[in-house]
Amino acid sequence: TSETKGHIVNDQGNSSIDKVGSATKRRMHLFHVLFKSLCSAGRPVLIVHDDIHWADSVEGLKDFITNYVNIPCALQKGARHHGLMIVATFRSNEVNDAVIETVNSIEKSESAHVTKVTIGELAQTDIGKLLSATLCLPLRYTQELADLVHKKTRGNPFFIIQFLKTIIQNRMLQYSVSHRRWMWDCDVIDMQMISDGVAELLTTRFNQLPLNLMKTVIIASCFGSQVEDS
């Protein structure tokens, strides 16, 4: 072998990083082999990529699928890999064109079976059933509140949960020991504002944190997306 431009080149003239090479590629290769082995052994694996619309790039997802499919199947030559399911979620109103193009390219390449599932907004009747089951009250008791929640959140499941947490925190929806049921005033709740976007909603919740905790979060953010508890 000889050294050329900082790379180790073998007698055939191929760089040592062309196939597996670098430490990152070696780790990725072993990662693919591990998943292939688990799936081949009859142990299905589910990988969930949540909120990919916030990712800087989703090319890694495409590369993982392509490389996984290209690894020879240990069970039978030419056989397709089974037992691996990847679920990727994103909000259609916040996703960029790059994510859509990547998903479409995976589907066109036939590297994997792609199924698109669109989850719509919750209807007023759905919210009514949710409130009825959660508050342990008949539907006729929660109908007016359900209509109000639907008007405020437009049926967005995430906003519904956050809105209910907010009105409980603000004691607009609370349990009455004397009446032995949940009580609320729709006129008061109707004045409760809700943010138009997830980012604004999360910012509002962060601003409600105690000052000391807020300073801790600001300092921790300087260390990256993950920080040890210690």
Side-chain angles (χ1 to χ4, degrees):
T1 60
S2 60
E3 186 174 350
T4 305
K5 295 182 180 179
H7 295 163
I8 303 300
V9 181
N10 57 27
D11 295 335
Q12 285 74 31
N14 296 325
S15 171
S16 61
I17 66 170
D18 287 343
K19 294 184 178 179
V20 180
S22 67
T24 301
K25 289 189 176 182
R26 284 198 298 271
R27 285 195 298 269
M28 289 301 297
H29 178 75
L30 293 175
F31 188 66
H32 296 141
V33 172
L34 171 63
F35 274 94
K36 185 263 299 182
S37 301
L38 291 174
C39 297
S40 299
R43 297 180 180 273
V45 176
L46 171 65
I47 301 177
V48 179
H49 294 269
D50 196 16
D51 292 335
I52 61 175
H53 54 275
W54 283 345
D56 295 333
S57 173
V58 291
E59 285 296 323
L61 178 61
K62 178 181 178 182
D63 293 341
F64 172 81
I65 295 175
T66 302
N67 293 333
Y68 175 82
V69 171
N70 289 336
I71 294 177
C73 185
L75 297 178
Q76 182 180 354
K77 184 177 181 180
R80 296 180 62 89
H81 293 296
H82 298 281
L84 176 63
M85 181 177 183
I86 300 177
V87 177
T89 66
F90 61 85
R91 299 187 182 95
S92 58
N93 61 328
E94 297 184 26
V95 70
N96 55 47
D97 294 337
V99 173
I100 300 298
E101 291 174 0
T102 301
V103 174
N104 291 336
S105 65
I106 294 174
E107 184 176 16
K108 291 179 181 178
S109 67
E110 298 183 351
S111 299
H113 297 293
V114 178
T115 302
K116 298 178 181 178
V117 179
T118 301
I119 301 177
E121 300 173 348
L122 294 180
Q124 289 173 280
T125 54
D126 298 324
I127 299 176
K129 293 177 182 179
L130 173 65
L131 292 174
S132 175
T134 304
L135 303 179
C136 299
L137 291 171
L139 282 171
R140 65 179 184 274
Y141 282 76
T142 60
Q143 186 60 53
E144 185 179 4
L145 178 61
D147 295 341
L148 180 58
V149 172
H150 184 270
K151 183 183 74 172
K152 288 289 187 178
T153 63
R154 298 183 294 277
N156 186 301
F158 180 80
F159 285 164
I160 291 174
I161 295 174
Q162 296 301 320
F163 184 73
L164 292 177
K165 286 182 178 179
T166 300
I167 61 177
I168 291 175
Q169 182 181 0
N170 294 339
R171 305 183 66 82
M172 299 177 182
L173 173 62
Q174 55 185 331
Y175 187 80
S176 172
V177 177
S178 58
H179 293 82
R180 288 189 277 185
R181 52 158 288 189
W182 288 87
M183 304 291 293
W184 61 88
D185 186 336
C186 285
D187 293 333
V188 176
I189 295 177
D190 193 23
M191 296 186 295
Q192 177 70 30
M193 302 298 294
I194 185 169
S195 304
D196 294 330
V198 176
E200 184 181 352
L201 180 62
L202 294 177
T203 301
T204 302
R205 293 182 63 87
F206 272 122
N207 290 334
Q208 294 175 350
L209 294 174
L211 181 59
N212 291 337
L213 182 56
M214 178 68 74
K215 291 181 178 179
T216 303
V217 172
I218 294 174
I219 295 174
S221 66
C222 299
F223 294 94
S225 59
Q226 295 183 355
V227 180
E228 296 292 339
D229 292 338
S230 58

